[in-house]
Amino acid sequence: MANLNFGGLKLTPPKVLSLGFVILITAGTFLLCLPVASVEGHISFIDALFMATSATCVTGLAVIDTGTQLTTFGQVVLLVLFQFGGLGFITMATLITLVLNKRISFKERILMQESMNQNSMQGIVQLIRRVLIYSLVIQLTGAVMFAGRFMMDMPFGKSVYYGIFHSISIFNNAGFDLFGDIHGPFSGLTRFVNDPIVNFTSMILIFLGGVGFIVLSDVFDFPKRKKLTLHSKVVLSTSAILIVVGAALFFILEFNSTLKPLSAGGKMMATFLQAITPRSGGVTTVEIPLMRESTQFLMILLMFIGAAPGSTGGGIKITTFAVLVAAVSARLRGKEDIVMFRHRIAKENVYRAVTMTLMSLMLVVIATMLLSVTEKAEFLAVLFESISAFGTSGLSMGLTPELTTAGKVLIIFLMFLGRTGPLTLAYALKPKGSKELYRYPEGKISIG
């Protein structure tokens, strides 16, 4: 991996990306600590750090209510953080460069390639341009839809502000909302459970933000090219399966529980939103603490899988999950090659998927064990919190506002690792390796 020179410091692209998130979080923490950012005139350092990390890592977990405890200035700080964090600061920096009509250097192209999870720099600037255009159009459309609906309940100016804030938040899978100011602290979107405009707009924004910009670009090119890449096929097909299966299981498990008082339309909207939002959406119209434990565990599994690579979401990623399932299927059928859509998957990708999953599991297990010590809560609530932070989902069973200082620090680390990715952080921190000059003899070991 090529090193980049920054003021005499040689940094790899993963190190630059990780450092960029640290800088954004630090700046956000400083701004949120200012008296003008909070209604009471002061936020503790750890709470400001938590909120800045949650926004930059587009998680949505909040130790203070955004709608009631932050001023408009504080809310805008969060908005800027999750816009930069969702699209990526490299993408936003590229936007500034393009607006100023400056030349994009080779160093910047390498960073763009890494930030978008691309294997080649070919066409990377064009891809970034498309990402910016698609994001702007999608978020603007979402803002118009939300603002039109909110005008029924609030003044024009406030409805426009709420529309913009929630469209950017939900598209970037940040999950922050301002309705605590209207419906009570930490109320979320529960009052809109039967509202088709809010539900369908939210579902579309979460889905588009979660499939990744590479897939969006590929889909928009489909009428011209008449084909999709393997990556897009895997992401779209696996997403569809997870949504349908997740919705079916949620409907069955919650039919006589949280879904019981809802109308037929409300049941269907709540079912599909709850199946889509664990992909890192962070918004919910059904109170999670009231769900059955089996449903809560289902959401834990969906949050752990997460969204697609190159998207605004977290988790181990849909493609990782798909490759693992394909590998297991191939082994059970006695096949040597792992084939998806008539394409053989390279062994390197399988090793990467296994490594990513095991590292993520180890991280979540360790964090859950530590949180079980620091927090006085049921184990499932602690596990839910850990997975939500790692998967940058932002859903909670109500534990977040009650976290101890130690618990907040643990969740901050989880959110950061979940957004940057365990493998990216591992590459960023590993020392420079040397090429092996020899190989050991092959050994035999019994498995299973």
Side-chain angles (χ1 to χ4, degrees), residues 1 24 26 42 68 113 174 182 217 246 255 261 272 437:
M1 185 174 292
L24 279 176
T26 303
H42 175 71
T68 57
Q113 174 192 343
I182 300 174
S217 178
F255 185 78
F272 277 97
L437 302 178

Side-chain angles (χ1 to χ4, degrees), residues 139-400:
Q139 291 178 95
L140 183 60
T141 303
V144 170
M145 295 296 293
F146 278 139
R149 168 60 186 86
F150 298 153
M151 281 180 195
M152 302 177 186
D153 304 321
M154 58 186 74
F156 176 79
K158 189 174 183 178
S159 65
V160 171
Y161 173 60
Y162 270 49
I164 293 172
F165 185 96
H166 291 93
S167 179
I168 295 175
S169 174
I170 295 175
F171 173 74
N172 285 293
N173 285 196
F176 287 96
D177 72 88
L178 304 176
F179 289 104
D181 186 38
I182 300 174
H183 303 143
F186 301 104
S187 57
L189 302 183
T190 52
R191 298 295 181 90
F192 297 99
V193 65
N194 287 305
D195 192 300
I197 296 177
V198 172
N199 275 271
F200 284 113
T201 303
S202 298
M203 283 188 274
I204 293 171
L205 287 173
I206 294 171
F207 179 80
L208 293 178
V211 295
F213 302 114
I214 304 167
V215 176
L216 287 179
S217 178
D218 203 22
V219 169
F220 278 104
D221 277 346
F222 180 76
K224 181 170 58 177
R225 297 174 55 192
K226 301 299 181 184
K227 65 177 182 179
L228 296 174
T229 62
L230 175 62
H231 174 82
S232 297
K233 290 179 182 178
V234 171
V235 169
L236 293 173
S237 59
T238 308
S239 296
I241 293 170
L242 288 175
I243 291 172
V244 172
V245 172
L249 291 174
F250 184 90
F251 185 81
I252 293 170
L253 294 171
E254 292 297 312
F255 185 78
N256 289 318
S257 183
T258 56
L259 295 179
K260 191 173 183 179
L262 303 179
S263 62
K267 284 184 173 68
M268 295 307 298
M269 288 186 291
T271 293
F272 277 97
L273 180 61
Q274 276 23 261
I276 293 174
T277 197
R279 302 184 58 191
S280 287
V283 294
T284 178
T285 54
V286 178
E287 294 188 38
I288 297 174
L290 301 181
M291 296 178 185
R292 298 176 185 272
E293 289 186 349
S294 53
T295 311
Q296 294 166 349
F297 191 72
L298 169 65
M299 299 190 77
I300 286 174
L301 296 177
L302 293 174
M303 288 191 296
F304 185 72
I305 295 171
S311 72
T312 59
I316 62 171
K317 301 296 189 287
I318 286 176
T319 47
T320 301
F321 174 72
V323 168
L324 291 177
V325 171
V328 172
S329 176
R331 179 55 58 186
L332 291 176
R333 292 183 289 115
K335 302 292 185 180
E336 182 68 23
D337 291 333
I338 299 168
V339 178
M340 303 176 74
F341 293 99
R342 298 184 179 181
H343 285 79
R344 177 169 51 85
I345 306 301
K347 291 287 174 46
E348 179 185 349
N349 285 337
V350 180
Y351 292 146
R352 188 180 177 91
V354 172
T355 304
M356 176 71 177
T357 304
L358 287 179
M359 287 182 67
S360 301
L361 276 173
M362 289 172 59
L363 180 65
V364 168
V365 167
I366 293 171
T368 303
M369 290 175 64
L370 293 174
L371 283 172
S372 297
V373 176
T374 63
E375 310 306 313
K376 294 181 180 179
E378 295 183 358
F379 176 76
L380 191 60
V382 172
L383 177 62
F384 195 101
E385 196 82 4
S386 298
I387 298 289
S388 179
F390 168 76
T392 66
S393 176
L395 301 176
S396 177
M397 291 175 61
L399 180 59
T400 308

Side-chain angles (χ1 to χ4, degrees), residues 22-65:
V22 171
I23 293 172
L24 279 176
I25 291 169
T26 303
T29 302
F30 171 76
L31 291 173
L32 290 175
C33 281
L34 296 176
V36 71
S38 65
V39 173
E40 297 180 357
H42 175 71
I43 300 177
S44 67
F45 173 79
I46 188 65
D47 285 349
L49 177 61
F50 190 102
M51 296 296 288
T53 305
S54 183
T56 304
C57 298
V58 289
T59 304
L61 292 175
V63 289
I64 60 176
D65 182 65

